[in-house]
């Protein structure tokens, strides 16, 4: 049976990028593909400057939004990473498998590290080792598939390298996983800055659509999206990234009944008309998620119960493999 694992960090409010690039597929397809686990990876939120109360609040909000988006606890396992010790236990063994050069090559480390240094902040060691913890998240469960957006490709590649290396050195222990990306919207760009990914932690949020934004706010953000100079609507991700981003969002939100962005472009003469349709499509896609979130948020006991049970199931799935890895590297079993 296919094992699926994916995760999301509670570092900010969930964005349209998270939803179209990952979460929607988890809910609509991936949870039914076999045995699926989805995690609010809260330990990963500590790799950068963080406010404890905010991480706590966002962890619950992200879990609630995942349920609102359609993850069904009767079908998949939803849990909080820090509730399952196996992630950190395994992470250390993988730190002993990875090299420092490998870690320093990771694009996200280089970008986020450079930003922190430029702002005069120190860089936490965990920002460097973070992809190893991510590898542990995946390998602990023997996941075959990791549904993620485009920005996580390098981390999943590293996970594969570590699995292969560990298996070669210490004997067959881990499944070598592969990344699975959506056909469109694998990288939703910031509406104000189409050269950058739409991110949870972007400083200016005018170009970021959050799942819980009011419909009027969504409309405003879309209508103010930066388009490109040049007239006519054309799908050209390199030359016209702003318009291409809008077309991809529209295609992902079901505008044009399944047509790809290039075909959709043919139906528009002006940027204004395109933006209006994008705004409508996004509002409609987010509406049921917002409504269900409001219901679930009123019942914190239910969400906590789901997470408790999820953690117990997850622990049961990870324990044996992580114990096996400890024995394989020569550590004394706990008897
Ligand atoms: P995170 O929390 O940044 O994002 C969660 C998921 O959303 C996708 N995503 C996007 N997709 C398209 N366009 C965007 N603008 C966009 N922004 C985010 C991400 O690719 C991701 O799939 N390191 C991971 C979390 C993680 C993880 C794991 C994922 C930790 N352990 C194990 C898979 C397996 C991260 O930072 O995702």
């Amino acid at each position: 049976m296919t094992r699926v694992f994916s995760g999301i960090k509670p570092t900010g409010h969930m964005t349209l990028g998270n939803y179209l690039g990952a979460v929607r597929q988890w809910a609509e397809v991936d949870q039914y593909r076999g045995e699926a686990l989805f995690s609010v990876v809260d330990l990963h939120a500590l790799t950068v400057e963080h406010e404890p109360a905010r991480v706590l609040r966002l962890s619950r909000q992200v879990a609630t939004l995942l349920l609102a988006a359609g993850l069904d606890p009767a079908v998949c396992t939803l849990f909080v990473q820090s509730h399952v010790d196996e992630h950190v236990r395994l992470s250390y063994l993988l730190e002993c498998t990875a090299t420092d050069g490998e870690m320093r090559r990771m694009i996200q480390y280089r970008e986020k590290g450079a930003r922190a240094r430029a702002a005069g902040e120190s860089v936490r060691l965990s920002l460097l080792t973070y992809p190893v913890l991510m590898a542990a998240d995946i390998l602990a469960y023997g996941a075959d598939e990791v549904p993620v957006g485009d920005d996580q490709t390098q981390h999943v590649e590293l996970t594969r390298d570590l699995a292969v290396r560990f298996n070669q050195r210490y004997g067959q222990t881990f499944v070598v996983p592969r990344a699975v990306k959506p056909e469109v919207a694998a990288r939703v760009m910031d509406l104000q800055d189409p050269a950058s990914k739409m991110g949870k932690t972007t400083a200016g949020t005018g170009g970021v659509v959050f799942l819980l934004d009011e419909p009027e706010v969504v409309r405003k953000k879309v209508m103010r999206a930066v388009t490109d100079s040049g007239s006519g609507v054309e799908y050209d991700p390199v030359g016209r990234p702003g318009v291409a981003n809008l077309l991809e969002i529209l295609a992902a939100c079901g505008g044009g009944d399944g047509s790809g962005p290039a075909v959709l472009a043919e139906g528009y003469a002006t940027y204004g008309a395109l933006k209006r349709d994008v705004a409508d499509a996004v509002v409609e896609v987010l509406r049921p998620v917002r409504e269900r979130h409001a219901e679930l948020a009123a019942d914190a006991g239910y969400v906590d119960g789901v997470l408790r049970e999820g953690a117990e199931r997850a622990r049961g799935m990870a324990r044996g493999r992580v114990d096996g890895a400890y024995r394989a590297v020569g550590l004394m079993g706990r008897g």
Side-chain angles (χ1 to χ4, degrees):
M1 194 191 283
T2 305
R3 207 27 100 85
V4 176
F5 181 95
S6 202
I8 178 165
K9 289 188 304 241
T11 41
H13 297 288
M14 212 194 279
T15 71
L16 182 66
N18 296 134
Y19 186 67
L20 297 180
V23 172
R24 190 175 56 169
Q25 274 68 230
W26 302 353
E28 290 179 0
V29 187
D30 299 319
Q31 66 174 333
Y32 302 108
R33 288 192 31 78
E35 213 161 5
L37 298 106
F38 301 101
S39 184
V40 178
V41 286
D42 53 350
L43 296 172
H44 289 284
L46 312 186
T47 55
V48 286
E49 202 76 40
H50 78 282
E51 208 188 295
R54 186 162 188 264
V55 169
L56 183 60
R57 211 169 45 243
L58 286 171
S59 296
R60 182 167 279 116
Q61 186 188 78
V62 168
T64 309
L65 271 170
L66 292 178
L67 292 169
L71 289 190
D72 178 353
V75 175
C76 69
T77 299
L78 173 62
F79 71 102
V80 174
Q81 181 192 32
S82 65
H83 293 176
V84 180
D85 295 341
E86 270 54 42
H87 296 242
V88 173
R89 280 182 71 212
L90 180 55
S91 183
Y92 181 70
L93 295 197
L94 296 178
E95 280 186 23
C96 299
T97 308
T99 66
D100 79 314
E102 217 162 26
M103 293 294 97
R104 287 178 207 285
R105 278 197 295 276
M106 293 290 121
I107 296 163
Q108 286 204 352
Y109 168 71
R110 287 178 25 195
E111 287 179 356
K112 286 188 188 168
R115 261 202 308 268
R117 281 186 204 95
E121 290 164 11
S122 54
V123 176
R124 295 183 184 182
L125 179 58
S126 55
L127 188 67
L128 179 65
T129 55
Y130 148 96
V132 174
L133 178 58
M134 174 163 164
D137 299 338
I138 298 167
L139 298 182
Y141 297 96
D144 308 282
E145 293 186 2
V146 186
V148 282
D150 206 33
D151 61 327
Q152 296 301 319
T153 311
Q154 196 187 28
H155 294 156
V156 180
E157 281 303 311
L158 172 80
T159 304
R160 292 170 58 86
D161 290 347
L162 296 181
V164 168
R165 194 176 308 154
F166 191 102
N167 288 345
Q168 276 168 353
R169 275 189 201 156
Y170 307 112
Q172 185 61 36
T173 307
F174 297 121
V175 174
V176 181
R178 65 183 189 92
V180 181
K181 285 183 272 174
E183 274 169 35
V184 271
R187 183 178 282 262
V188 177
M189 308 309 274
D190 188 296
L191 298 176
Q192 287 298 316
D193 174 15
S196 307
K197 183 188 79 166
M198 183 183 281
K200 293 187 211 94
T201 51
T202 312
T205 53
V208 181
V209 174
F210 296 106
L211 256 56
L212 293 177
D213 277 346
E214 299 285 339
E216 277 323 299
V217 174
V218 173
R219 269 180 221 288
K220 242 184 235 149
K221 287 179 176 174
V222 173
M223 294 311 289
R224 287 187 191 152
V226 168
T227 35
D228 315 290
S229 54
S231 59
V233 176
E234 213 185 313
Y235 181 63
D236 173 6
V238 177
R240 314 267 289 272
V243 173
N245 190 36
L246 290 173
L247 287 164
E248 288 201 18
I249 292 172
L250 183 60
C253 291
D257 298 328
S259 307
V263 174
L264 278 175
E266 292 166 13
Y268 293 95
T270 65
Y271 292 157
L274 171 63
K275 285 180 178 176
R276 270 191 298 279
D277 281 1
V278 172
D280 286 345
V282 172
V283 166
E284 283 318 307
V285 162
L286 298 189
R287 186 187 307 282
V289 182
R290 275 169 46 81
E291 288 173 358
R292 184 90 183 102
H293 174 269
E295 288 167 21
L296 288 165
D299 192 355
Y302 169 73
V303 177
D304 287 350
V306 167
L307 296 175
R308 212 173 19 250
E309 269 178 39
E312 218 160 282
R313 272 210 301 265
R315 241 177 262 129
M317 286 193 244
R319 175 64 65 82
R321 188 170 295 96
V322 176
D323 282 349
Y326 266 65
R327 283 192 299 273
V329 297
L331 297 171
M332 227 185 255
R334 287 195 265 198

